[in-house]
């Protein structure tokens, strides 16, 4: 057996794909630079470690299920009421260590989803297990888990397995009684054990209407969400419409209540 084949076989058995990928190039380099054998070994192991680290990040990003990738670099603070200093603080991700939540409220188009994605993306880059879901998808998953008797499993293995849960677009659909109860279970599950980032077009006084008019349940949910949290209330008009209007495509002003 050729030496390369033997190396390849060992690397496969021991799952050392970084070493397999890089050992030959590095061997040539080591020969040219007259590196010692130990230097060669150290560099090779460092490469393997780096590749594993990167792959871990890629996996976590894939598992997060972001609809698209957006970062804070493409967020224009000059045309937004969002406080840049607070956003920078949030992006240190200390809030995840402190199991705090982030509440992003505001009308349509002001960048709530953009910021939620940017936070989730930053977390994946720190290899923090993250899951991004719309409220509608989350409820579908909960209901189907409940129907098939796997609710416990879903709460433990899917919701419990991530440190950061992003729930986008809470408030667009009204929940029925069962859905409202399931939603409470999610918030309760994450309370003081993980972090939730939630976006909503509704201010808190209207949450009860979405939560099947259940006052006690709404209070319990808001209590847990707000207790340790950063609240970002975004004012202003839709970024998309603003851009269109500035470009002269729309010739009417947009009113805000
Ligand atoms: P919301 O979730 O609040 O309805 P989105 O985050 O979906 O709004 O924003 C609508 C679009 O406008 C997206 O393409 C988003 O990237 C963009 N956008 C919104 N606000 C900003 C901003 N301040 N800077 C750059 N892009 C923005
Ligand atoms: Mg949105």
């Amino acid at each position: 057996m050729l030496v390369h084949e033997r190396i390849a076989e060992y690397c496969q058995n021991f799952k050392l794909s970084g070493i397999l990928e890089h050992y030959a190039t590095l061997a040539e380099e080591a020969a040219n630079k007259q590196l010692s054998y130990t230097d060669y070994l150290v560099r090779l192991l460092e490469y393997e470690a780096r590749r594993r680290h990167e792959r871990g990040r890629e996996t976590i990003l894939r598992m997060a299920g972001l609809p698209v990738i957006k970062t804070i670099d493409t967020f224009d603070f000059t045309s937004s009421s969002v406080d840049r200093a607070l956003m920078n603080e949030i992006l240190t991700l200390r809030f995840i260590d402190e199991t705090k939540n982030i509440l992003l409220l505001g009308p349509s188009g002001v960048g709530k989803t953009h910021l939620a994605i940017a936070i989730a993306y930053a977390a994946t880059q720190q290899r923090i297990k993250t899951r991004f879901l719309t409220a509608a998808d989350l409820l579908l998953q909960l209901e189907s888990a409940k129907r098939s008797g796997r609710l416990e499993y879903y709460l433990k293995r899917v919701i419990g397995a991530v440190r950061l849960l992003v729930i986008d677009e809470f408030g667009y659909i009204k929940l029925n009684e069962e859905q409202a109860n399931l939603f409470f279970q999610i918030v309760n599950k994450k309370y003081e054990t993980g972090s939730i980032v939630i976006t909503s077009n509704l201010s808190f006084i209207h949450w009860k209407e979405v939560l099947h008019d259940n006052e006690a349940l709404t209070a319990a949910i808001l209590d847990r969400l707000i207790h340790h949290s950063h609240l970002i209330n975004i004012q202003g008009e839709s970024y998309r419409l603003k851009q269109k209007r500035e470009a002269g495509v729309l010739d009417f002003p947009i009113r805000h209540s």
Side-chain angles (χ1 to χ4, degrees):
M1 216 198 254
L2 292 172
V3 111
H4 173 73
E5 285 171 1
R6 290 176 58 197
I7 291 174
E9 198 177 314
Y10 278 123
C11 284
Q12 270 148 23
N13 288 344
F14 297 140
K15 301 201 184 333
L16 296 166
S17 59
I19 288 184
L20 180 58
E21 196 177 284
H22 200 51
Y23 85 91
T25 325
L26 196 64
E28 210 170 297
E29 210 179 295
N32 287 340
K33 291 187 187 159
Q34 297 185 318
L35 291 185
S36 69
Y37 295 117
T38 36
D39 272 344
Y40 170 72
L41 183 59
V42 152
R43 286 185 192 200
L44 196 53
L45 291 172
E46 278 168 357
Y47 184 84
E48 174 69 33
R50 215 163 43 239
R51 287 294 292 130
R52 281 186 189 203
H53 196 79
E54 283 165 11
R55 273 201 307 276
R57 249 198 230 155
E58 285 158 16
T59 307
I60 284 171
L61 178 59
R62 206 171 45 245
M63 306 281 283
L66 301 184
V68 289
I69 291 181
K70 298 212 174 176
T71 65
I72 203 64
D73 302 334
T74 57
F75 191 81
D76 174 10
F77 283 93
T78 59
S79 61
S80 168
S81 73
V82 176
D83 180 9
R84 189 196 291 255
L86 175 58
M87 218 35 228
N88 284 339
E89 159 62 28
I90 287 169
L91 288 167
T92 65
L93 305 177
R94 204 172 11 233
F95 78 95
I96 299 176
D97 286 328
E98 296 167 348
T99 62
K100 283 187 180 165
N101 302 319
I102 312 281
L103 306 150
L104 287 156
L105 306 186
S108 179
V110 292
K112 300 181 299 296
T113 301
H114 187 133
L115 292 174
I117 292 174
I119 296 166
Y121 179 76
T124 64
Q125 297 312 287
Q126 296 300 318
R127 305 208 304 167
I128 293 169
K129 285 188 184 156
T130 300
R131 188 78 177 93
F132 184 104
L133 287 162
T134 62
D137 284 342
L138 176 63
L139 287 167
L140 279 179
Q141 293 190 5
L142 281 163
E143 285 181 308
S144 104
K146 180 153 195 218
R147 263 200 310 277
S148 54
R150 295 168 73 248
L151 184 60
E152 283 295 311
Y153 177 88
Y154 182 82
L155 287 174
K156 195 163 169 213
R157 288 304 168 86
V158 181
I159 301 304
V162 298
R163 287 179 65 200
L164 177 63
L165 177 67
V166 183
I167 306 171
D168 195 24
E169 298 184 346
F170 175 83
Y172 283 121
I173 47 164
K174 292 198 173 183
L175 314 194
N176 62 31
E177 192 177 359
E178 183 188 68
Q179 290 172 326
N181 280 310
L182 289 168
F183 185 71
F184 170 74
Q185 294 202 43
I186 291 290
V187 172
N188 198 37
K189 174 92 193 160
K190 280 283 165 248
Y191 180 60
E192 293 187 333
T193 64
S195 292
I196 294 178
V197 172
I198 188 163
T199 80
S200 180
N201 59 321
L202 296 180
S203 54
F204 296 134
I205 46 164
H206 294 294
W207 281 40
K208 187 167 77 111
E209 295 153 31
V210 171
L211 292 164
H212 201 247
D213 272 318
N214 187 328
E215 189 147 356
L217 192 77
T218 305
I221 287 172
L222 284 178
D223 203 44
R224 283 163 179 74
L225 279 178
I226 299 171
H227 185 196
H228 314 285
S229 67
H230 293 293
L231 172 62
I232 304 179
N233 233 320
I234 315 179
Q235 276 116 36
E237 65 178 25
S238 159
Y239 188 80
R240 280 177 292 235
L241 293 181
K242 187 155 57 186
Q243 280 193 322
K244 285 224 169 77
R245 195 155 48 73
E246 279 164 10
V249 183
L250 297 176
D251 54 7
F252 57 89
I254 296 145
R255 285 200 312 119
H256 287 279
S257 48

